[in-house]
């Protein structure tokens, strides 16, 4: 039986990296049973004393011993095994505001892939189609072409009136498409064939010159995004003119023993992959070899890497999200995030905040996490009525998810002020 922490008086000192909110670093005496809401009231009162130009209260989060405070300070310290006798340093930072629900984009079947670029959203569906939407929820195009569910979509480039995007499907192919924005017409210019089983995932390199696909044939293929036959990429005319040219992969990476569930580019020459074989792999694309291999205890369904913190997050069959630091010489798993009640299917880092990420799962939940709060997500983004298969945060203002309830849901993020 858990022992209730004794209520005592604490000496605390408040610190912040956001200098516009700084208060005196003198120690203050507070009761140990206070929570973050009480600390919010206190810090805003101290700000009012410190600055005559104080305008309005700000909502803060509080870091105690490197973790967000989600209980009373006494419970937090007891769990961490920290003494209440020493002066406690509490760091505060402006709370990321709650994202607000926006449009709900209706499809005819499960939505299995989403990707945003600027004001445009791509979605892929189990009815074999790709859709283009604007971020206000207006449907621009429904695009046939694949003959099985579309499992990956990604924008490649936007140049004025022309946009290029890629798609991957369980029909064993990936396709490169050109969208004429003014005419609102799409052409498939290349069909990429090299997998023996369905394509499960897809990612475009940062420079837009290549993309990678992962498949149920356990392999990863790397393709050129060039719309012409160059760079020694084999190409031959297909019999069906509406399918454009056929292209073979630039290279194939072999090493996984089961389906490849995610591919991500870490840099120009390095790809991260996750698989149902319980393994994460870092690949050297030029040499075709494996740089690093990380073993998990369950099948991986998704993985994402952040250039802001050089860390990876993974989605697994055991209902957990894990944060990995591949450079670590100690434990590679840095944090385990526990809140989902079913398989976690999709994870995506914020592009602008190195401590924020999204997860989506078979429990119908989309969750927004702070890496320093492993047991309590910042927010649950509710609305889906069935399993959530994909999520995306490519546009920093829009949190997007696709579900077996045949919808894409959009949440708008109001940006908190960045630290100075």
């Amino acid at each position: 039986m858990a022992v209730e922490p004794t209520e005592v008086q604490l000496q605390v000192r408040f610190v912040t990296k956001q200098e516009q909110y700084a208060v005196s670093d003198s120690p203050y005496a507070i009761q140990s049973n206070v929570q973050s809401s009480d600390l919010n009231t206190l810090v805003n009162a101290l700000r009012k004393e410190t600055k005559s130009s104080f305008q309005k209260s700000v909502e803060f989060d509080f870091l105690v011993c490197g973790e967000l405070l989600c209980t009373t300070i006494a419970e937090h310290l007891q769990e961490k095994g920290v003494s209440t006798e020493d002066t406690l340093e509490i760091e505060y930072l402006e709370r990321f505001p709650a994202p607000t629900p926006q449009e709900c984009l209706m499809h005819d079947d499960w939505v299995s892939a989403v990707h945003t670029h600027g004001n445009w959203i791509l979605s892929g569906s189990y009815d074999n189609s790709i859709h283009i939407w604007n971020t206000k929820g207006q449907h621009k195009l429904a695009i046939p072409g694949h003959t099985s569910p579309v499992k990956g979509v990604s924008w490649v480039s936007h140049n004025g009136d022309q946009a290029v995007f890629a798609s991957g499907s369980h029909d064993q192919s990936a396709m490169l498409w050109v969208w004429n924005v003014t005419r609102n017409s799409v052409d498939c210019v290349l069909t990429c064939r090299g997998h023996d089983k369905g394509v499960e995932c897809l990612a475009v390199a940062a420079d837009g010159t290549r993309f990678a696909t992962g498949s149920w044939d356990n392999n990863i293929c790397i393709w050129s995004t060039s719309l012409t036959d160059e760079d020694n990429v084999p190409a031959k005319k297909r019999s069906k003119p509406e399918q454009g040219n056929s292209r073979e992969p630039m290279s194939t990476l072999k090493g996984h023993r089961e389906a490849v569930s995610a591919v991500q580019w870490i840099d120009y020459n390095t790809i991260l992959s996750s698989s149902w074989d319980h393994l994460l792999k870092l690949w050297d694309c030029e040499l075709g070899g494996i740089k690093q291999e990380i073993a998990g205890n369950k099948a991986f369904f998704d993985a994402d890497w952040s250039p802001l913190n050089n860390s990876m997050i993974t989605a697994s069959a055991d209902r957990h999200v894990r944060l990995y630091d591949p450079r670590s010489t100690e434990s590679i798993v840095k944090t385990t995030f526990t809140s989902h009640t079913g398989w976690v299917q999709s994870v995506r880092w914020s592009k602008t905040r190195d401590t924020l990420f999204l997860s989506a799962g078979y429990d119908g939940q989309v969750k927004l996490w702070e890496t320093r709060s492993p047991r309590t997500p910042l927010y649950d983004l509710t609305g889906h009525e069935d399993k959530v298969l994909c999520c995306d945060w490519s546009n920093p203002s829009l949190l997007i998810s696709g579900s077996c309830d045949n919808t894409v849901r959009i949440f708008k993020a109001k940006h908190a002020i960045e630290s100075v």
Side-chain angles (χ1 to χ4, degrees):
M1 183 174 171
V3 179
E4 285 294 318
T6 309
E7 185 183 328
V8 295
Q9 196 169 67
L10 295 172
Q11 292 288 315
V12 301
R13 182 179 284 113
F14 293 105
V15 297
T16 184
K17 292 172 183 164
Q18 297 172 316
E19 293 176 14
Q20 70 272 32
Y21 299 138
V23 298
S24 168
D25 63 356
S26 304
Y28 298 93
I30 64 171
Q31 294 300 115
S32 63
N33 65 342
V34 300
Q35 301 187 18
S36 59
S37 57
D38 307 306
L39 295 178
N40 244 312
T41 304
L42 175 57
V43 168
N44 276 296
L46 293 173
R47 288 179 58 225
K48 197 167 186 177
E49 289 178 11
T50 307
K51 288 192 176 181
S52 57
S53 59
F54 175 86
Q55 294 293 319
K56 61 178 182 177
S57 293
V58 174
E59 289 289 311
F60 293 107
D61 278 323
F62 297 88
L63 285 167
V64 181
C65 308
E67 199 170 296
L68 283 191
L69 182 67
C70 299
T71 59
T72 67
I73 292 182
E75 290 169 318
H76 192 91
L77 295 180
Q78 184 182 62
E79 186 179 312
K80 294 287 183 186
V82 175
S83 168
T84 56
E85 295 178 6
D86 301 326
T87 299
L88 184 67
E89 186 173 277
I90 300 178
E91 182 183 342
Y92 59 100
L93 62 154
E94 187 177 0
R95 179 174 298 160
F96 191 84
T100 53
Q102 304 292 302
E103 279 66 36
C104 178
L105 313 181
M106 299 300 300
H107 293 65
D108 292 331
D109 208 333
W110 294 1
V111 181
S112 41
V114 285
H115 188 232
T116 313
H117 184 283
N119 293 322
W120 301 109
I121 299 170
L122 276 176
S123 61
S125 175
Y126 264 69
D127 67 1
N128 313 340
S129 65
I130 304 162
H131 298 265
I132 300 176
W133 314 76
N134 66 21
T135 51
K136 294 179 180 176
Q138 295 169 322
H139 189 238
K140 303 298 288 186
L141 275 176
I143 305 160
H146 284 293
T147 56
S148 290
V150 178
K151 295 305 298 285
V153 290
S154 181
W155 295 104
V156 175
S157 62
H158 284 251
N159 296 311
D161 202 35
Q162 178 177 287
V164 179
F165 61 91
S167 61
S169 165
H170 277 180
D171 64 12
Q172 303 181 18
S173 76
M175 292 182 176
L176 273 174
W177 308 80
V178 175
W179 176 35
N180 183 303
V181 180
T182 303
R183 292 205 310 265
N184 196 29
S185 62
V186 166
D187 292 305
C188 173
V189 291
L190 281 163
T191 301
C192 303
R193 299 190 182 279
H195 288 295
D196 295 329
K197 292 184 179 179
V199 175
E200 179 67 12
C201 52
L202 178 152
V204 177
D207 65 0
T209 61
R210 294 166 299 162
F211 71 98
T213 52
S215 166
W216 285 88
D217 65 7
N218 310 345
N219 297 334
I220 298 161
C221 288
I222 300 173
W223 316 81
S224 167
T225 60
S226 169
L227 302 179
T228 56
D229 302 339
E230 56 183 40
D231 301 327
N232 300 316
V233 177
K236 55 184 182 291
K237 193 72 177 175
R238 282 182 50 76
S239 57
K240 293 182 180 178
E242 71 272 11
Q243 294 299 312
N245 293 325
S246 181
R247 173 170 291 174
E248 295 175 10
M250 301 169 73
S251 60
T252 301
L253 305 176
K254 298 184 178 183
H256 280 296
R257 296 189 300 274
E258 292 189 49
V260 179
S261 54
V263 286
Q264 293 288 335
W265 293 83
I266 287 184
D267 57 40
Y268 182 80
N269 190 45
T270 309
I271 284 177
L272 161 69
S273 65
S274 68
S275 168
W276 282 62
D277 65 9
H278 303 191
L279 293 174
L280 302 171
K281 293 178 187 281
L282 293 173
W283 301 83
D284 184 312
C285 301
E286 191 174 336
L287 299 177
I290 298 167
K291 290 183 175 182
Q292 188 176 356
E293 188 173 277
I294 300 168
N297 61 347
K298 293 282 185 180
F300 289 111
F301 298 143
D302 199 11
D304 196 25
W305 178 82
S306 172
L308 302 179
N309 56 28
N310 293 308
S311 297
M312 304 180 298
I313 44 174
T314 61
S316 258
D318 62 2
R319 307 189 304 278
H320 299 307
V321 175
R322 289 180 176 84
L323 188 152
Y324 291 81
D325 181 354
R327 304 159 301 169
S328 176
T329 55
E330 300 166 9
S331 171
I332 292 178
V333 178
K334 291 301 179 186
T335 318
T336 301
F337 301 88
T338 305
S339 178
H340 281 287
T341 56
W343 284 7
V344 187
Q345 185 65 26
S346 183
V347 284
R348 287 293 179 271
W349 282 108
S350 163
K351 303 296 186 190
T352 55
R353 305 288 187 111
D354 64 354
T355 62
L356 298 183
F357 68 89
L358 279 180
S359 67
Y362 274 26
D363 55 7
Q365 296 293 312
V366 180
K367 295 175 184 286
L368 171 57
W369 295 88
E370 225 281 0
T371 54
R372 295 165 293 189
S373 179
R375 285 181 301 280
T376 309
L378 283 185
Y379 302 106
D380 288 328
L381 310 183
T382 58
H384 284 300
E385 297 172 354
D386 205 336
K387 297 187 291 287
V388 187
L389 301 179
C390 53
C391 62
D392 182 67
W393 203 354
S394 301
N395 179 333
S397 299
L398 299 173
L399 297 77
I400 296 180
S401 55
S403 166
C404 294
D405 65 8
N406 302 357
T407 69
V408 166
R409 288 195 173 269
I410 303 173
F411 279 76
K412 188 172 180 63
K414 300 172 186 172
H415 288 298
I417 298 169
E418 298 285 354
S419 57
V420 176

